Amino acid sequence: MEVPDKKVDVSNKKRFKDEFSCDPDDRPPNLRRPDDYEAVFAGNIDDHFRIGVAILQKSMRLYSPFYSSDIIIASPVGLRTVIGSEGEKKRDFDFLSSIEILIIDQADIYLMQNWEHVLHLMSHLNLQPTDSHGVDFSRVRMWNLSNWSKYYRQTLLFSSLQEPQINSIFNKHCFNYNGQVAVKNIPKTGCISQVLVQLPHVFQRLEANSVLSVIDARFKFFTDKILPQYRDAIMSHTLIYIPSYFDYVRIRNYFKKEELSFTYICEYTDKPGISRARQFFLKGERQFLLVTERFHFYKRYTLKGIRNLIFYELPTFPHFYSEICNMMKAWKQGEEATWTCTVLYSKYDAQRLAAVVGAERAAQMLQSKKNVHLFVTGENN
C-alpha cells in the first residue's frame, strides 16, 4: 500500500507479526525435501486464520471487524468456523454478501485439505443479508438491493492443476455477466520423463459408464484383475498408492477381510505407527504397504523397500508419480530387472493422465482399442 514519499500507518502491526510470523529456528535442520514442499510448508503453516483489513486515507487497520473491512484475508477453515452450519445458533455470513472481488489462490492446496469448506464458502457468497447491520440504504447500489451481486462479482481462481473439483467452482459458482476466461497450460511431455529408474510402467484402462460408477468399477477391477497377480509371495514389497482417503479405507477393510499380509500409512498415522509400518515393509514382514496421497503430500518420506508399485488412481499432483517411482532406487538389491509398476486409469482421468504421460500420448491411450499400454523408463533409454 505504501508509495514513495507516502508512509502508511498500520495499527495492530505487532499482533499481526506475533500471529503470522514464525521463528527461523523452528525448522528441522537436516530434512531434505523437494522444492515444492519447501515452498508450501516453509514458515507459519497454521491453516486456521482470518483477518479483516480496513484501508483509510493515511492509515491501514488490521483486525478490523469484517463489516467495516475493505479486504478479508482468510483460509477456508478460518471462514467455515465463522459461517457455521445450518441449525447452529452462533453463525454469521452476512459480511460475504457484499464481496466484489474473490481471489482463490493456490486452489490445488485446498484439495489436500477439506474441499467441503471451499464449497461451503462459495454457497454463502453474495446472498441476501439476514439483517441490515446499520447500513445506509441510500448508499447501496441498486444491483445489490436487487440481489444481483453474484453477477457483478469478479472471481480470480489460481491453481497449478486442472482438476474437476476446481473446474466445478469455475462452472457452478462464477456468474459474472461479462463471462469467463480460462488460461490453461497443456502438459506436452508429462512427468513420466522424470522417472530415473529402469522400470516398465503398465497402464491399464478400466471401463466405466459415469463419473459416479467409476469408483466401484475401479475397486472391482483392482480386486478381480490386479490384486490376484500380486498375491503370490514372489511379488512381495508391493506399495499401493491411493489418492482418495475413502478408497484407502475401503481397500484396507478388504485386505483385513481377506487376511492379506499388509500394513498401512495415512495422514492420521502417528510417528510410532509410521516407523513400524516402514520397518515391516522394508524387512518384508508385510507383503503390501497402503499409502495415501495426503500422507505423501504432508510428509514426503522416502519409503524404502519398494519392488512393485500399484497406482490405484493417478496422483492429483503429477510430480508425485515420478517421486514415488524414484523411491525404488533408494533400496537397490540388484533386483531392478524384476521391478514392476501398474497404473489404473479411466477416461475420466484424462487430465491427470495427460500430466503424467503428456497430452498427445494421453489422447492416443484414451482413444485406443487396447486397454493396456506399456512405457519403459530408465537411464539407458
Side-chain angles (χ1 to χ4, degrees), residues 33 237 263-265 271-286 289 291 295 299-305 327:
R33 296 286 187 267
H237 294 276
T263 186
Y264 49 87
I265 304 174
K271 273 192 173 179
I274 294 168
S275 298
R276 273 196 308 275
R278 291 174 79 185
Q279 280 303 309
F280 283 149
F281 185 67
L282 178 61
K283 292 176 180 176
E285 292 173 26
R286 299 288 187 276
L289 173 62
V291 177
F295 168 77
K299 300 294 183 188
R300 302 295 171 92
Y301 288 177
T302 298
L303 301 168
K304 295 180 181 178
M327 282 182 192

Side-chain angles (χ1 to χ4, degrees), residues 76 104 107-120 157 164-169 294:
I104 302 175
D108 46 294
I109 304 298
Y110 304 148
L111 292 169
M112 296 292 109
Q113 298 171 344
N114 191 338
W115 187 254
E116 184 62 37
H117 295 333
V118 179
L119 298 177
H120 195 70
L157 182 59
Q165 296 102 306
I166 295 170
N167 291 343
S168 76
I169 294 284
R294 284 186 184 180

Side-chain angles (χ1 to χ4, degrees), residues 217-232:
R218 190 185 303 274
F219 181 74
K220 191 173 187 323
F221 188 84
F222 174 74
T223 52
D224 292 354
K225 303 272 176 71
I226 305 299
L227 195 57
Q229 301 169 28
Y230 287 85
R231 282 189 179 228
D232 198 300

Side-chain angles (χ1 to χ4, degrees), residues 36-37 40-41 106-113 159-163 166 191 194 241 243 293-294 296-298 300 311 313-324 351-353 355-356:
D36 69 291
Y37 183 90
V40 172
F41 291 99
Q106 290 183 291
D108 46 294
I109 304 298
Y110 304 148
L111 292 169
M112 296 292 109
Q113 298 171 344
S159 169
S160 69
L161 304 170
Q162 291 185 53
E163 275 291 300
I166 295 170
C191 67
Q194 290 157 15
Y241 179 92
E293 181 165 78
R294 284 186 184 180
H296 182 66
F297 176 80
Y298 285 109
R300 302 295 171 92
F311 285 91
E313 188 180 355
L314 285 156
T316 307
F317 291 90
H319 61 278
F320 285 2
Y321 184 87
S322 51
E323 278 180 20
I324 299 288
Q351 290 168 331
R352 291 187 184 188
L353 184 65
V356 171

Side-chain angles (χ1 to χ4, degrees), residues 40 93 102 194 242 245 262 267 299 371:
V40 172
F93 50 86
L102 169 68
Q194 290 157 15
I242 311 163
Y245 182 76
F262 80 104
E267 58 269 32
K299 300 294 183 188
N371 286 339

Side-chain angles (χ1 to χ4, degrees), residues 19 100 145 182 228 247 255 263 287 335 339:
E19 289 186 13
E100 293 180 8
L145 294 173
D247 287 334
F255 274 37
T263 186
Q287 188 173 345
E335 296 168 345
W339 287 348

